[in-house]
Amino acid sequence: MRRCNSFLLMENMASLYIFATAIVTLAGLFSFCQFQLRQQTKQVRYYMAVEQLIQGANPELPVYEGARIQQSETAIKVSWPDGFEVSCCVES
């Protein structure tokens, strides 16, 4: 009887370890996906801001806060403090 109980205890501990490992793995995967989604959202917002700037938007909008804007007749380059940069050529 004792041998059977210890075997069941070991079996339960192994199952618990596998379950805990799966939970930690899923939490890490969720965290990584959330980070990537945040980065992609920021990237889309920056591209849309540059598009609006090309169309004549006011560079005083909050999205341009801290951004370095270099603009000429045919090109534009916007650099944000977080290191993201968008450059493009504008053709008439």
Side-chain angles (χ1 to χ4, degrees), residues 53-74:
L53 193 62
I54 290 169
Q55 294 173 354
N58 183 0
E60 301 300 318
L61 294 173
V63 74
Y64 302 112
E65 189 173 313
R68 201 171 98 222
I69 302 171
Q70 299 171 342
Q71 193 170 10
S72 70
E73 299 263 337
T74 59

Side-chain angles (χ1 to χ4, degrees), residues 4-57:
C4 185
N5 284 341
S6 64
F7 181 73
L8 287 175
L9 179 63
M10 284 178 30
E11 197 175 68
N12 287 342
M13 291 297 285
S15 295
L16 185 61
Y17 176 76
I18 291 170
F19 181 70
T21 303
I23 293 294
V24 169
T25 303
L26 287 174
L29 184 64
F30 176 74
S31 177
F32 176 74
C33 290
Q34 189 177 25
F35 172 76
Q36 289 297 321
L37 184 60
R38 243 185 261 128
Q39 290 296 100
Q40 292 298 321
T41 302
K42 187 189 307 184
Q43 200 173 31
V44 167
R45 188 177 59 214
Y46 286 160
Y47 278 117
M48 289 176 66
V50 171
E51 183 182 359
Q52 289 174 354
L53 193 62
I54 290 169
Q55 294 173 354

